[in-house]
Amino acid sequence: MTAVKLPAVAPAGLELKQERFRVWRAFKRHRLALVSAILLIIFCAIAIFADRIAPFDPNATNAALAGGKPQPPSAEHWLGTDAYGRDYLSRTLVAIRISLVVGLTAVVFQVVIGVGTGLLAGYFGGRTDNILMRITDTFLAVPGFMLLLMVAGILGGTLPALILAIGALTWMTVARLVRAEVLSLKQREFVTAAQCMGSSHWRIMGVYMLPNLVSIIVVAATLSVPAAILTESALSFLGLGVPPPNASLGNMLSDAQQWIRSAWWIWVVPGVTISLIVLAFNFVGDGLRDALDPRTRS
Amino acid sequence: MSQYIIRRLVQAIPLLFAISLLTFAIIEIAPGDAAQMYIDPEKGTDPAYIEQVRVSLGLDQPFYVRYISWLGKTLTGDLGYSLRTRRPVSLEVGDRLPNTLILGASALLLSFVLAIPIGVISAVKRNTAVDYGLSILALVGISIPIFWLALLLLQVFSIQLGWLPASGMRNMRQELTGFAGVIDVAHHMVLPVLVLSFAQLASWSRYQRSALIDVLGQDYIRTARSKGLAERRVLTVHALKNSLLPMITVAAISVPTIVMGAYITETIFSWPGIGRLGVTSVAGRDYPVIMAVTLLSALLIIGSNLFADISYAWADPRIRYDSR
């Protein structure tokens, strides 16, 4: 089996390096994508070390300091406090962690279902394809947000339930993209060659096809993270996502609604933070698409 | 064509069954049941009384019996009563549906009116500073959560400038009728419509751009140009018309996004529509209303998908569904 090395699957040594170098160069040309990638690394670092860099306990109230009103930024509280005297910087930091955890894990879940469905449907075709694509169509007709509201509101929105629900309601686009790509890969010589040599179905799918799907999966996944983050924050904003007293960018904005007249930091900070995270993912996804997708190459 | 439409309509039926069963099942596994909403606090804790309420609501029956009975009633047009307001669900939904439709239709219209010119400008000036600027703006646009945009607009136009009302659909202080009433509703609608159309605006202008670039590369455009037609005429008569075609599909597949946007926008602006009803019914565990709103949303999504396919075939004679 190892005697036949197929260049389209795994360009050996130098070629692989050249390919990586080309992708990196193409990505680097996209200045905003590069800046966004750095920003994302910073956000991830914040998420990982949130409880260590937070100057205060994010859920510790200080009624004496606040006096029922949000306190403006000061030397001690850099981003002020909310109406309960909780340090707003610390709450923002742990909220960034929640957003990223929800966004990334929901997308992992979505990619696993989507790639599995798309690969099986495209590779086996016929009846399997028919059944799997009919299921995909069914999910596309489901009023996703209403179901998410129900999962969050009625089943008691624990974070894992929320993540599973977001993943389970958003895998369809990935499945369709992967299926279309598999259909075209099936016609390529290296797949025929592998079939002739008697490779099993699983080996063809896993060893020969999957590596060729990586670039579309990476792009689709990167561009799905912001959607998952926005969905979680929308649910939290409506009071059905992350339960209080824990901070999420969505429920911070929800609390901010009543202070919109008097305390600008209360609604500006979480809003700008969500927008920056989402924007960074969108720019990176855009840059990756330009770098990886041969169809958009100029 | 009519055969195709009938086939698609028939396919929608099992889909609606599946969605209603799924919703019913989620409600079933939720902790607590509908009887709690009906219990008279005066007689509160008496087990015999609670049991009596459960029996009167049919909650002593097994899951499938209740589902079938719900299905039978729904098919005959009886959606039951809201647990919260005790009004018929059909009235609760019927009162609010027109409000949501007005909001959604205005937002769709505004998205089209703004997105198409922006997309055309980007396509005509492609790979220039204008195009790059608009493309970055579009990415920024889809990155701003609409509930934050709503707070931003509220802050500027309603609180700082005081130009627009912050919530509701009508002026509460005085009853306005006739033309003044229409103006009043329009005045209340400005902010929610802006917020609701914003998300589409960003992505639609991108779609319009790539559709027009695609068309501009076609042979018949070269023919039109080589005939010596003015560039303006080539663009407006030959290219634009054909590039609008994919926008029908784009609009129809955006319906789920608009539905999701309506839940959030209506809640923030206290707009008395279906979206806000959905959120309050979930928060208040008003199960009959939840079922109705979910099915209505599903119908809307299925209908718009069907509309996309049919209108596409109608507008583009090269597409034939019957031959498949």
Side-chain angles (χ1 to χ4, degrees), chain A residues 186-204:
Chain A
K186 241 177 26 176
Q187 310 296 325
R188 300 272 289 273
E189 286 91 350
F190 67 86
V191 173
T192 321
Q195 280 167 340
C196 291
M197 291 188 315
S199 301
S200 70
H201 292 314
W202 303 111
R203 189 175 163 80
I204 295 176

mmCIF file with all atom_site columns, all heavy atoms in Angstrom, chain A residues 186-204:
data_model
loop_
_atom_site.group_PDB
_atom_site.id
_atom_site.type_symbol
_atom_site.label_atom_id
_atom_site.label_alt_id
_atom_site.label_comp_id
_atom_site.label_asym_id
_atom_site.label_entity_id
_atom_site.label_seq_id
_atom_site.pdbx_PDB_ins_code
_atom_site.Cartn_x
_atom_site.Cartn_y
_atom_site.Cartn_z
_atom_site.occupancy
_atom_site.B_iso_or_equiv
_atom_site.pdbx_formal_charge
_atom_site.auth_seq_id
_atom_site.auth_comp_id
_atom_site.auth_asym_id
_atom_site.auth_atom_id
_atom_site.pdbx_PDB_model_num
ATOM 1   N N   . LYS A 1 186 ? -14.578 11.774 -6.425  1.00 0.00 ? 186 LYS A N   1
ATOM 2   C CA  . LYS A 1 186 ? -14.818 10.382 -6.827  1.00 0.00 ? 186 LYS A CA  1
ATOM 3   C C   . LYS A 1 186 ? -14.368 10.126 -8.266  1.00 0.00 ? 186 LYS A C   1
ATOM 4   O O   . LYS A 1 186 ? -14.045 9.005  -8.638  1.00 0.00 ? 186 LYS A O   1
ATOM 5   C CB  . LYS A 1 186 ? -16.319 10.070 -6.688  1.00 0.00 ? 186 LYS A CB  1
ATOM 6   C CG  . LYS A 1 186 ? -16.556 8.970  -5.705  1.00 0.00 ? 186 LYS A CG  1
ATOM 7   C CD  . LYS A 1 186 ? -17.974 8.591  -5.402  1.00 0.00 ? 186 LYS A CD  1
ATOM 8   C CE  . LYS A 1 186 ? -19.061 8.825  -6.383  1.00 0.00 ? 186 LYS A CE  1
ATOM 9   N NZ  . LYS A 1 186 ? -20.347 8.287  -5.914  1.00 0.00 ? 186 LYS A NZ  1
ATOM 10  N N   . GLN A 1 187 ? -14.374 11.186 -9.079  1.00 0.00 ? 187 GLN A N   1
ATOM 11  C CA  . GLN A 1 187 ? -14.018 11.030 -10.489 1.00 0.00 ? 187 GLN A CA  1
ATOM 12  C C   . GLN A 1 187 ? -12.512 11.092 -10.719 1.00 0.00 ? 187 GLN A C   1
ATOM 13  O O   . GLN A 1 187 ? -12.051 10.864 -11.823 1.00 0.00 ? 187 GLN A O   1
ATOM 14  C CB  . GLN A 1 187 ? -14.683 12.140 -11.330 1.00 0.00 ? 187 GLN A CB  1
ATOM 15  C CG  . GLN A 1 187 ? -16.157 12.319 -11.081 1.00 0.00 ? 187 GLN A CG  1
ATOM 16  C CD  . GLN A 1 187 ? -16.947 11.093 -11.490 1.00 0.00 ? 187 GLN A CD  1
ATOM 17  O OE1 . GLN A 1 187 ? -16.613 10.430 -12.458 1.00 0.00 ? 187 GLN A OE1 1
ATOM 18  N NE2 . GLN A 1 187 ? -17.986 10.764 -10.729 1.00 0.00 ? 187 GLN A NE2 1
ATOM 19  N N   . ARG A 1 188 ? -11.744 11.433 -9.675  1.00 0.00 ? 188 ARG A N   1
ATOM 20  C CA  . ARG A 1 188 ? -10.305 11.640 -9.876  1.00 0.00 ? 188 ARG A CA  1
ATOM 21  C C   . ARG A 1 188 ? -9.556  10.318 -9.967  1.00 0.00 ? 188 ARG A C   1
ATOM 22  O O   . ARG A 1 188 ? -9.965  9.310  -9.374  1.00 0.00 ? 188 ARG A O   1
ATOM 23  C CB  . ARG A 1 188 ? -9.734  12.473 -8.730  1.00 0.00 ? 188 ARG A CB  1
ATOM 24  C CG  . ARG A 1 188 ? -10.368 13.847 -8.604  1.00 0.00 ? 188 ARG A CG  1
ATOM 25  C CD  . ARG A 1 188 ? -9.673  14.867 -9.451  1.00 0.00 ? 188 ARG A CD  1
ATOM 26  N NE  . ARG A 1 188 ? -8.359  15.192 -8.905  1.00 0.00 ? 188 ARG A NE  1
ATOM 27  C CZ  . ARG A 1 188 ? -8.156  16.120 -7.980  1.00 0.00 ? 188 ARG A CZ  1
ATOM 28  N NH1 . ARG A 1 188 ? -9.182  16.789 -7.481  1.00 0.00 ? 188 ARG A NH1 1
ATOM 29  N NH2 . ARG A 1 188 ? -6.938  16.385 -7.548  1.00 0.00 ? 188 ARG A NH2 1
ATOM 30  N N   . GLU A 1 189 ? -8.408  10.334 -10.692 1.00 0.00 ? 189 GLU A N   1
ATOM 31  C CA  . GLU A 1 189 ? -7.649  9.099  -10.950 1.00 0.00 ? 189 GLU A CA  1
ATOM 32  C C   . GLU A 1 189 ? -7.180  8.420  -9.669  1.00 0.00 ? 189 GLU A C   1
ATOM 33  O O   . GLU A 1 189 ? -7.196  7.209  -9.572  1.00 0.00 ? 189 GLU A O   1
ATOM 34  C CB  . GLU A 1 189 ? -6.419  9.380  -11.827 1.00 0.00 ? 189 GLU A CB  1
ATOM 35  C CG  . GLU A 1 189 ? -6.733  9.639  -13.279 1.00 0.00 ? 189 GLU A CG  1
ATOM 36  C CD  . GLU A 1 189 ? -6.930  11.119 -13.516 1.00 0.00 ? 189 GLU A CD  1
ATOM 37  O OE1 . GLU A 1 189 ? -7.005  11.873 -12.519 1.00 0.00 ? 189 GLU A OE1 1
ATOM 38  O OE2 . GLU A 1 189 ? -7.037  11.532 -14.679 1.00 0.00 ? 189 GLU A OE2 1
ATOM 39  N N   . PHE A 1 190 ? -6.720  9.225  -8.678  1.00 0.00 ? 190 PHE A N   1
ATOM 40  C CA  . PHE A 1 190 ? -6.139  8.569  -7.505  1.00 0.00 ? 190 PHE A CA  1
ATOM 41  C C   . PHE A 1 190 ? -7.167  7.792  -6.715  1.00 0.00 ? 190 PHE A C   1
ATOM 42  O O   . PHE A 1 190 ? -6.837  6.808  -6.054  1.00 0.00 ? 190 PHE A O   1
ATOM 43  C CB  . PHE A 1 190 ? -5.368  9.570  -6.632  1.00 0.00 ? 190 PHE A CB  1
ATOM 44  C CG  . PHE A 1 190 ? -6.217  10.618 -5.972  1.00 0.00 ? 190 PHE A CG  1
ATOM 45  C CD1 . PHE A 1 190 ? -6.829  10.366 -4.755  1.00 0.00 ? 190 PHE A CD1 1
ATOM 46  C CD2 . PHE A 1 190 ? -6.397  11.848 -6.566  1.00 0.00 ? 190 PHE A CD2 1
ATOM 47  C CE1 . PHE A 1 190 ? -7.593  11.327 -4.152  1.00 0.00 ? 190 PHE A CE1 1
ATOM 48  C CE2 . PHE A 1 190 ? -7.166  12.822 -5.965  1.00 0.00 ? 190 PHE A CE2 1
ATOM 49  C CZ  . PHE A 1 190 ? -7.775  12.561 -4.757  1.00 0.00 ? 190 PHE A CZ  1
ATOM 50  N N   . VAL A 1 191 ? -8.450  8.207  -6.817  1.00 0.00 ? 191 VAL A N   1
ATOM 51  C CA  . VAL A 1 191 ? -9.485  7.431  -6.130  1.00 0.00 ? 191 VAL A CA  1
ATOM 52  C C   . VAL A 1 191 ? -9.744  6.131  -6.886  1.00 0.00 ? 191 VAL A C   1
ATOM 53  O O   . VAL A 1 191 ? -9.827  5.054  -6.299  1.00 0.00 ? 191 VAL A O   1
ATOM 54  C CB  . VAL A 1 191 ? -10.783 8.255  -5.984  1.00 0.00 ? 191 VAL A CB  1
ATOM 55  C CG1 . VAL A 1 191 ? -11.909 7.391  -5.439  1.00 0.00 ? 191 VAL A CG1 1
ATOM 56  C CG2 . VAL A 1 191 ? -10.546 9.445  -5.075  1.00 0.00 ? 191 VAL A CG2 1
ATOM 57  N N   . THR A 1 192 ? -9.820  6.252  -8.216  1.00 0.00 ? 192 THR A N   1
ATOM 58  C CA  . THR A 1 192 ? -9.980  5.048  -9.042  1.00 0.00 ? 192 THR A CA  1
ATOM 59  C C   . THR A 1 192 ? -8.820  4.087  -8.791  1.00 0.00 ? 192 THR A C   1
ATOM 60  O O   . THR A 1 192 ? -9.013  2.874  -8.636  1.00 0.00 ? 192 THR A O   1
ATOM 61  C CB  . THR A 1 192 ? -10.010 5.428  -10.534 1.00 0.00 ? 192 THR A CB  1
ATOM 62  O OG1 . THR A 1 192 ? -10.747 6.636  -10.677 1.00 0.00 ? 192 THR A OG1 1
ATOM 63  C CG2 . THR A 1 192 ? -10.646 4.336  -11.360 1.00 0.00 ? 192 THR A CG2 1
ATOM 64  N N   . ALA A 1 193 ? -7.598  4.639  -8.751  1.00 0.00 ? 193 ALA A N   1
ATOM 65  C CA  . ALA A 1 193 ? -6.420  3.797  -8.525  1.00 0.00 ? 193 ALA A CA  1
ATOM 66  C C   . ALA A 1 193 ? -6.538  3.060  -7.204  1.00 0.00 ? 193 ALA A C   1
ATOM 67  O O   . ALA A 1 193 ? -6.302  1.852  -7.124  1.00 0.00 ? 193 ALA A O   1
ATOM 68  C CB  . ALA A 1 193 ? -5.164  4.668  -8.530  1.00 0.00 ? 193 ALA A CB  1
ATOM 69  N N   . ALA A 1 194 ? -6.960  3.798  -6.159  1.00 0.00 ? 194 ALA A N   1
ATOM 70  C CA  . ALA A 1 194 ? -7.087  3.174  -4.848  1.00 0.00 ? 194 ALA A CA  1
ATOM 71  C C   . ALA A 1 194 ? -8.143  2.074  -4.865  1.00 0.00 ? 194 ALA A C   1
ATOM 72  O O   . ALA A 1 194 ? -7.956  1.005  -4.269  1.00 0.00 ? 194 ALA A O   1
ATOM 73  C CB  . ALA A 1 194 ? -7.444  4.232  -3.807  1.00 0.00 ? 194 ALA A CB  1
ATOM 74  N N   . GLN A 1 195 ? -9.233  2.337  -5.614  1.00 0.00 ? 195 GLN A N   1
ATOM 75  C CA  . GLN A 1 195 ? -10.293 1.323  -5.713  1.00 0.00 ? 195 GLN A CA  1
ATOM 76  C C   . GLN A 1 195 ? -9.760  0.071  -6.414  1.00 0.00 ? 195 GLN A C   1
ATOM 77  O O   . GLN A 1 195 ? -10.019 -1.052 -6.000  1.00 0.00 ? 195 GLN A O   1
ATOM 78  C CB  . GLN A 1 195 ? -11.490 1.874  -6.478  1.00 0.00 ? 195 GLN A CB  1
ATOM 79  C CG  . GLN A 1 195 ? -12.387 2.744  -5.616  1.00 0.00 ? 195 GLN A CG  1
ATOM 80  C CD  . GLN A 1 195 ? -13.382 3.538  -6.432  1.00 0.00 ? 195 GLN A CD  1
ATOM 81  O OE1 . GLN A 1 195 ? -13.205 3.738  -7.641  1.00 0.00 ? 195 GLN A OE1 1
ATOM 82  N NE2 . GLN A 1 195 ? -14.427 4.004  -5.787  1.00 0.00 ? 195 GLN A NE2 1
ATOM 83  N N   . CYS A 1 196 ? -8.984  0.275  -7.487  1.00 0.00 ? 196 CYS A N   1
ATOM 84  C CA  . CYS A 1 196 ? -8.443  -0.850 -8.246  1.00 0.00 ? 196 CYS A CA  1
ATOM 85  C C   . CYS A 1 196 ? -7.515  -1.698 -7.396  1.00 0.00 ? 196 CYS A C   1
ATOM 86  O O   . CYS A 1 196 ? -7.440  -2.909 -7.554  1.00 0.00 ? 196 CYS A O   1
ATOM 87  C CB  . CYS A 1 196 ? -7.673  -0.355 -9.470  1.00 0.00 ? 196 CYS A CB  1
ATOM 88  S SG  . CYS A 1 196 ? -8.765  0.357  -10.688 1.00 0.00 ? 196 CYS A SG  1
ATOM 89  N N   . MET A 1 197 ? -6.787  -1.024 -6.490  1.00 0.00 ? 197 MET A N   1
ATOM 90  C CA  . MET A 1 197 ? -5.853  -1.773 -5.656  1.00 0.00 ? 197 MET A CA  1
ATOM 91  C C   . MET A 1 197 ? -6.578  -2.445 -4.502  1.00 0.00 ? 197 MET A C   1
ATOM 92  O O   . MET A 1 197 ? -5.945  -3.080 -3.659  1.00 0.00 ? 197 MET A O   1
ATOM 93  C CB  . MET A 1 197 ? -4.787  -0.834 -5.111  1.00 0.00 ? 197 MET A CB  1
ATOM 94  C CG  . MET A 1 197 ? -3.867  -0.351 -6.205  1.00 0.00 ? 197 MET A CG  1
ATOM 95  S SD  . MET A 1 197 ? -2.475  0.550  -5.558  1.00 0.00 ? 197 MET A SD  1
ATOM 96  C CE  . MET A 1 197 ? -3.246  1.594  -4.392  1.00 0.00 ? 197 MET A CE  1
ATOM 97  N N   . GLY A 1 198 ? -7.878  -2.304 -4.444  1.00 0.00 ? 198 GLY A N   1
ATOM 98  C CA  . GLY A 1 198 ? -8.660  -3.018 -3.443  1.00 0.00 ? 198 GLY A CA  1
ATOM 99  C C   . GLY A 1 198 ? -8.702  -2.362 -2.081  1.00 0.00 ? 198 GLY A C   1
ATOM 100 O O   . GLY A 1 198 ? -8.926  -3.038 -1.080  1.00 0.00 ? 198 GLY A O   1
ATOM 101 N N   . SER A 1 199 ? -8.481  -1.034 -2.011  1.00 0.00 ? 199 SER A N   1
ATOM 102 C CA  . SER A 1 199 ? -8.621  -0.364 -0.714  1.00 0.00 ? 199 SER A CA  1
ATOM 103 C C   . SER A 1 199 ? -10.072 -0.436 -0.264  1.00 0.00 ? 199 SER A C   1
ATOM 104 O O   . SER A 1 199 ? -10.989 -0.382 -1.085  1.00 0.00 ? 199 SER A O   1
ATOM 105 C CB  . SER A 1 199 ? -8.230  1.111  -0.836  1.00 0.00 ? 199 SER A CB  1
ATOM 106 O OG  . SER A 1 199 ? -6.913  1.229  -1.281  1.00 0.00 ? 199 SER A OG  1
ATOM 107 N N   . SER A 1 200 ? -10.267 -0.534 1.050   1.00 0.00 ? 200 SER A N   1
ATOM 108 C CA  . SER A 1 200 ? -11.641 -0.592 1.559   1.00 0.00 ? 200 SER A CA  1
ATOM 109 C C   . SER A 1 200 ? -12.283 0.785  1.425   1.00 0.00 ? 200 SER A C   1
ATOM 110 O O   . SER A 1 200 ? -11.596 1.799  1.269   1.00 0.00 ? 200 SER A O   1
ATOM 111 C CB  . SER A 1 200 ? -11.633 -1.021 3.017   1.00 0.00 ? 200 SER A CB  1
ATOM 112 O OG  . SER A 1 200 ? -11.102 0.020  3.800   1.00 0.00 ? 200 SER A OG  1
ATOM 113 N N   . HIS A 1 201 ? -13.626 0.814  1.495   1.00 0.00 ? 201 HIS A N   1
ATOM 114 C CA  . HIS A 1 201 ? -14.345 2.084  1.426   1.00 0.00 ? 201 HIS A CA  1
ATOM 115 C C   . HIS A 1 201 ? -13.842 3.054  2.478   1.00 0.00 ? 201 HIS A C   1
ATOM 116 O O   . HIS A 1 201 ? -13.653 4.236  2.225   1.00 0.00 ? 201 HIS A O   1
ATOM 117 C CB  . HIS A 1 201 ? -15.838 1.847  1.642   1.00 0.00 ? 201 HIS A CB  1
ATOM 118 C CG  . HIS A 1 201 ? -16.494 1.092  0.520   1.00 0.00 ? 201 HIS A CG  1
ATOM 119 N ND1 . HIS A 1 201 ? -16.279 1.393  -0.795  1.00 0.00 ? 201 HIS A ND1 1
ATOM 120 C CD2 . HIS A 1 201 ? -17.353 0.039  0.528   1.00 0.00 ? 201 HIS A CD2 1
ATOM 121 C CE1 . HIS A 1 201 ? -16.983 0.573  -1.559  1.00 0.00 ? 201 HIS A CE1 1
ATOM 122 N NE2 . HIS A 1 201 ? -17.642 -0.266 -0.770  1.00 0.00 ? 201 HIS A NE2 1
ATOM 123 N N   . TRP A 1 202 ? -13.670 2.533  3.715   1.00 0.00 ? 202 TRP A N   1
ATOM 124 C CA  . TRP A 1 202 ? -13.290 3.413  4.820   1.00 0.00 ? 202 TRP A CA  1
ATOM 125 C C   . TRP A 1 202 ? -11.918 4.024  4.589   1.00 0.00 ? 202 TRP A C   1
ATOM 126 O O   . TRP A 1 202 ? -11.663 5.167  4.897   1.00 0.00 ? 202 TRP A O   1
ATOM 127 C CB  . TRP A 1 202 ? -13.335 2.650  6.151   1.00 0.00 ? 202 TRP A CB  1
ATOM 128 C CG  . TRP A 1 202 ? -14.686 2.076  6.381   1.00 0.00 ? 202 TRP A CG  1
ATOM 129 C CD1 . TRP A 1 202 ? -15.037 0.765  6.372   1.00 0.00 ? 202 TRP A CD1 1
ATOM 130 C CD2 . TRP A 1 202 ? -15.900 2.814  6.598   1.00 0.00 ? 202 TRP A CD2 1
ATOM 131 N NE1 . TRP A 1 202 ? -16.375 0.640  6.576   1.00 0.00 ? 202 TRP A NE1 1
ATOM 132 C CE2 . TRP A 1 202 ? -16.941 1.863  6.717   1.00 0.00 ? 202 TRP A CE2 1
ATOM 133 C CE3 . TRP A 1 202 ? -16.196 4.176  6.706   1.00 0.00 ? 202 TRP A CE3 1
ATOM 134 C CZ2 . TRP A 1 202 ? -18.260 2.238  6.934   1.00 0.00 ? 202 TRP A CZ2 1
ATOM 135 C CZ3 . TRP A 1 202 ? -17.510 4.549  6.918   1.00 0.00 ? 202 TRP A CZ3 1
ATOM 136 C CH2 . TRP A 1 202 ? -18.527 3.587  7.027   1.00 0.00 ? 202 TRP A CH2 1
ATOM 137 N N   . ARG A 1 203 ? -11.005 3.166  4.002   1.00 0.00 ? 203 ARG A N   1
ATOM 138 C CA  . ARG A 1 203 ? -9.659  3.649  3.740   1.00 0.00 ? 203 ARG A CA  1
ATOM 139 C C   . ARG A 1 203 ? -9.691  4.744  2.665   1.00 0.00 ? 203 ARG A C   1
ATOM 140 O O   . ARG A 1 203 ? -9.027  5.778  2.798   1.00 0.00 ? 203 ARG A O   1
ATOM 141 C CB  . ARG A 1 203 ? -8.784  2.480  3.293   1.00 0.00 ? 203 ARG A CB  1
ATOM 142 C CG  . ARG A 1 203 ? -7.339  2.868  3.227   1.00 0.00 ? 203 ARG A CG  1
ATOM 143 C CD  . ARG A 1 203 ? -6.437  1.704  2.912   1.00 0.00 ? 203 ARG A CD  1
ATOM 144 N NE  . ARG A 1 203 ? -5.156  2.233  2.479   1.00 0.00 ? 203 ARG A NE  1
ATOM 145 C CZ  . ARG A 1 203 ? -4.216  2.670  3.306   1.00 0.00 ? 203 ARG A CZ  1
ATOM 146 N NH1 . ARG A 1 203 ? -4.424  2.620  4.600   1.00 0.00 ? 203 ARG A NH1 1
ATOM 147 N NH2 . ARG A 1 203 ? -3.086  3.164  2.849   1.00 0.00 ? 203 ARG A NH2 1
ATOM 148 N N   . ILE A 1 204 ? -10.478 4.523  1.621   1.00 0.00 ? 204 ILE A N   1
ATOM 149 C CA  . ILE A 1 204 ? -10.550 5.532  0.562   1.00 0.00 ? 204 ILE A CA  1
ATOM 150 C C   . ILE A 1 204 ? -11.080 6.845  1.125   1.00 0.00 ? 204 ILE A C   1
ATOM 151 O O   . ILE A 1 204 ? -10.531 7.912  0.882   1.00 0.00 ? 204 ILE A O   1
ATOM 152 C CB  . ILE A 1 204 ? -11.430 5.037  -0.599  1.00 0.00 ? 204 ILE A CB  1
ATOM 153 C CG1 . ILE A 1 204 ? -10.775 3.820  -1.258  1.00 0.00 ? 204 ILE A CG1 1
ATOM 154 C CG2 . ILE A 1 204 ? -11.622 6.138  -1.633  1.00 0.00 ? 204 ILE A CG2 1
ATOM 155 C CD1 . ILE A 1 204 ? -11.605 3.191  -2.339  1.00 0.00 ? 204 ILE A CD1 1
#
